[in-house]
């Protein structure tokens, strides 16, 4: 089984926004829905200022919090590592949107669903490249199979000393002379998601279950005793 | 001969109770589908979208209607109720300690109580606190595009926690009102407003005495006039 990933070479990216637009065209997205974005940053103080661009998108996390919180199972991680949203199962509760540590999900107010980068899975299945990779005139993006050591992606990761954002499927080649703080942080499950899913849900269900059990026990005991002193 | 009955709740008190009760139960039934996976898959995406619309509409009566009814319909008894809920004496704590035996139908002697027993006071306080929590976090989620994302992220677990705890509380509340042989007479207080005098005397002795004393006073005044 493949495990798909992507490398973005920021030494090549010119910040043209071609990826954002090509993606929107392929997926027929609303203008405000952008699966991949281009951010400009500046570092240092005048006159020693450096600037550049970083692209962001769904990181296709190894253990995606968006899939954990999804109450319908519309968001799930496929065996090939791609995190998808089955849009017809999405009810637009937007739990995933606040669970995502990378702010990589967009709400579509017309269809009342949440959408995000799908790594162009159905095009990839047909042997095509993702739209952002296809369109990138600087060839800054490489898509491929991380498990295939011979793939263009695997070779580029080694050759260009790419940095993996830990816990995700995304690699960056950082711009020369710039520290990695401009890149998205390594994966960490948000505290609110952990407390919600690991403590609140099981704890709350236990409380409700105990209450229901107490009521049933009370009903049984009272029935055996044949009613109270008020009847 | 029909049983003697005494008024426990006026119309506004009852309407306030039911506007809260009905909106809460509808909110709980439509909302808990997002907590229990089996329930969610039973309802399906179409049903859940309908649930969402109902859930959002019910936010309005849940937040505003009960407060309006109680505040404008019966401000004095609302004030009395709040005052009683916040006043806790020895008898109240002894009642809470002894009540689990009563709940399960075991023999127990409960201390004398006012119009609201300590359990009802605890239920009232939990309901007030829980409703404020649910309304506050719920409106944060409804208005999520105009508040800080961190606020939304923390409103979600708090909204779930409040729902599940209050869900447990209402199960006990419904059982005591409908199923428990000693306390189920109290449902009549919320339907017709009146409860059996015997029930009032046995379960709310302190309140019943005051009620009788008040009646005697009125009768006495009528005699003088």
């Amino acid at each position: 089984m493949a495990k798909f990933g992507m490398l973005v070479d920021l030494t090549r990216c010119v910040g043209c926004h071609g990826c954002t637009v090509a993606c929107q065209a392929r997926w027929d997205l609303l203008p405000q829905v952008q699966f991949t974005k281009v951010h400009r940053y500046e570092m240092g103080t005048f006159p020693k200022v450096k600037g550049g661009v970083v692209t962001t998108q769904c990181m296709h996390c190894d253990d995606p919090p968006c899939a954990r919180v999804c109450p319908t199972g519309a968001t799930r991680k496929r065996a090939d590592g791609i995190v998808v949203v089955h849009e017809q199962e999405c009810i637009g509760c937007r739990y995933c949107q606040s669970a995502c540590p990378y702010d990589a999900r967009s709400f579509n107010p017309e269809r009342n669903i949440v959408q995000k980068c799908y790594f162009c899975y159905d095009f990839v299945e047909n042997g095509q490249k993702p739209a952002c990779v296809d369109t990138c005139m600087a060839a800054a993006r490489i898509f491929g199979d991380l498990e295939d050591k011979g793939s263009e992606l695997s070779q580029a990761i080694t050759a260009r000393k790419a940095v993996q954002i830990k816990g995700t499927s995304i690699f960056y080649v950082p711009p020369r002379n710039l520290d990695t703080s401009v890149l998205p942080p390594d994966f960490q499950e948000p505290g609110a998601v952990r407390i919600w899913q690991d403590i609140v849900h099981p704890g709350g269900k236990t409380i409700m279950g105990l209450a229901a059990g107490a009521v049933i026990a009370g009903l049984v005991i009272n029935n055996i005793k044949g009613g109270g002193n008020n009847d | 001969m029909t049983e003697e009955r005494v008024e426990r709740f006026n119309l506004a008190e009852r309407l306030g109770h039911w506007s809260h009760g009905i909106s809460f139960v509808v909110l709980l039934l439509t909302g808990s589908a997002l907590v229990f996976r089996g329930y969610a898959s039973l309802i399906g995406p179409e049903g859940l979208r309908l649930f969402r619309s109902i859930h959002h509409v019910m936010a309005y009566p849940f937040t505003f209607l009960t407060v309006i009814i109680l505040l404008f319909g019966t401000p004095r008894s609302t004030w009395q109720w709040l005052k009683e809920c916040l006043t806790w004496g020895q008898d109240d704590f002894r009642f809470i300690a002894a009540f689990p035996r009563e709940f399960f139908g075991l023999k127990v002697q409960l201390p004398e109580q006012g119009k609201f027993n300590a359990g009802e006071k605890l239920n009232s306080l939990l309901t007030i606190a829980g409703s404020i929590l649910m309304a506050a976090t719920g409106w944060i989620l409804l208005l999520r595009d105009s508040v800080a994302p961190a606020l939304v992220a923390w409103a979600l677990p708090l909204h779930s926690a409040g729902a599940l705890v209050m869900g447990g509380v209402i199960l006990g509340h419904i059982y005591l009102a409908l199923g428990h042989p000693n306390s189920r007479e109290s449902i009549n207080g919320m339907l017709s407003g009146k409860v059996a005098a015997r029930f009032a005397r046995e379960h709310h002795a302190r309140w019943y005495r005051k009620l009788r004393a008040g009646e005697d006073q009125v009768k006495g005044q009528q005699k003088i006039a």
Side-chain angles (χ1 to χ4, degrees):
Chain A
M1 195 71 219
K3 185 184 185 292
F4 289 114
M6 190 178 282
L7 177 147
V8 183
D9 188 342
L10 294 176
T11 62
R12 303 183 72 101
C13 174
V14 295
C16 71
H17 295 266
C19 47
T20 307
V21 177
C23 167
Q24 285 183 307
R26 183 176 280 185
W27 288 93
D28 198 17
L29 303 180
L30 295 175
Q32 67 267 37
V33 176
Q34 299 169 351
F35 287 173
T36 181
K37 294 174 190 159
V38 181
H39 307 269
R40 297 195 164 272
Y41 64 86
E42 286 174 12
M43 292 183 96
T45 43
F46 180 81
K48 285 187 166 175
V49 184
K50 286 181 219 161
V53 285
V54 175
T55 65
T56 57
Q57 65 187 85
C58 172
M59 310 291 280
H60 298 272
C61 305
D62 296 339
D63 185 11
C66 52
R68 250 196 115 186
V69 300
C70 180
T72 65
T75 289
R76 40 189 182 256
K77 190 170 177 71
R78 302 182 352 153
D80 60 11
I82 302 181
V83 177
V84 291
V85 181
H86 288 253
E87 293 185 352
Q88 61 286 358
E89 286 170 45
C90 175
I91 57 165
C93 69
R94 301 174 74 177
Y95 285 1
C96 54
Q97 218 183 344
S98 63
C100 175
Y102 297 107
D103 192 21
R105 289 178 163 252
S106 315
F107 181 62
N108 179 329
E110 279 179 16
R111 293 175 57 201
N112 236 323
I113 56 167
V114 175
Q115 300 173 297
K116 63 167 207 73
C117 157
Y118 301 124
F119 264 174
C120 284
Y121 64 89
D122 45 355
F123 299 94
V124 167
E125 278 162 13
N126 292 330
Q128 286 175 270
K129 286 177 181 171
C132 56
V133 176
D134 248 350
T135 202
C136 185
M137 61 179 173
R141 287 177 183 259
I142 300 170
F143 177 82
D145 182 0
L146 292 166
E147 279 179 357
D148 175 5
K149 294 299 154 208
S151 70
E152 186 195 359
L153 175 67
S154 297
Q155 288 184 340
I157 287 169
T158 321
R160 301 192 201 179
K161 296 190 176 65
V163 177
Q164 180 176 20
I165 308 302
K166 288 195 182 65
T168 78
S169 312
I170 301 290
F171 294 73
Y172 287 97
V173 179
R176 269 178 290 277
N177 305 322
L178 276 174
D179 61 51
T180 51
S181 69
V182 297
L183 301 179
D186 286 338
F187 174 80
Q188 200 186 357
E189 188 172 62
V193 169
R194 207 161 50 241
I195 287 171
W196 188 20
Q197 298 295 314
D198 293 342
I199 298 170
V200 169
H201 274 188
K205 286 176 186 173
T206 308
I207 289 173
M208 263 190 105
L210 286 174
V215 166
I216 291 165
L219 278 172
V220 168
I221 294 169
N222 278 311
N223 260 314
I224 291 168
K225 292 186 62 185
N229 50 26
N230 252 324
D231 282 341
Chain B
M1 195 192 118
T2 53
E3 214 178 353
E4 195 196 347
R5 305 187 77 76
V6 291
E7 184 179 279
R8 189 169 179 216
F9 296 115
N10 66 32
L11 181 65
E13 283 175 293
R14 282 176 278 149
L15 285 176
H17 173 267
W18 290 114
S19 82
H20 186 80
I22 292 168
S23 57
F24 176 75
V25 168
V26 173
L27 285 164
L28 184 67
L29 289 177
T30 51
S32 57
L34 297 192
V35 177
F36 299 95
R37 293 279 165 103
Y39 184 17
S41 55
L42 194 74
I43 304 300
E46 273 311 311
L48 289 172
R49 285 185 199 110
L50 175 69
F51 271 22
R52 175 186 52 202
S53 307
I54 299 171
H55 200 79
H56 290 179
V57 167
M58 282 320 243
Y60 292 86
F62 181 79
T63 312
F64 304 112
L65 190 58
T66 304
V67 177
I68 291 170
I69 292 173
L70 291 182
L71 230 51
F72 293 96
T74 180
R76 271 193 54 179
S77 53
T78 301
W79 177 244
Q80 281 294 327
W81 166 59
L82 289 173
K83 221 169 75 182
E84 230 183 288
C85 287
L86 292 167
T87 315
W88 282 69
Q90 279 291 319
D91 277 352
D92 293 311
F93 292 110
R94 282 197 287 135
F95 182 96
I96 294 292
F99 193 71
R101 288 186 60 85
E102 169 72 11
F103 187 93
F104 291 112
L106 306 172
K107 223 176 151 52
V108 69
Q109 188 63 42
L110 292 169
E112 215 171 58
Q113 298 291 296
K115 182 178 178 183
F116 299 99
N117 68 41
E120 290 167 334
K121 290 201 245 183
L122 186 63
N123 178 59
S124 298
L125 292 175
L126 283 171
T127 302
I128 294 166
S131 304
I132 292 170
L133 172 75
M134 295 312 286
T137 50
W139 283 100
I140 287 171
L141 296 175
L142 270 178
L143 305 170
R144 59 187 302 150
D145 288 323
S146 20
V147 299
L151 211 55
V152 175
W154 285 102
L156 287 166
L158 285 171
H159 201 70
S160 293
L164 292 168
V165 171
M166 294 315 292
V169 170
I170 203 177
L171 288 177
H173 184 66
I174 292 172
Y175 164 62
L176 288 169
L178 298 177
H180 193 282
N182 289 344
S183 69
R184 65 181 167 217
E185 168 63 16
S186 61
I187 187 68
N188 293 318
M190 271 306 166
L191 293 174
S192 68
K194 294 194 166 92
V195 293
R198 198 185 99 154
F199 171 81
R201 196 175 62 238
E202 286 173 0
H203 288 254
H204 303 276
R206 224 168 343 113
W207 169 67
Y208 184 71
R209 270 203 307 276
K210 251 186 236 163
L211 205 67
R212 283 298 182 219
E215 277 176 14
D216 290 347
Q217 217 172 11
V218 172
K219 273 179 201 157
Q221 280 166 351
Q222 281 168 341
K223 260 182 207 162
I224 291 162

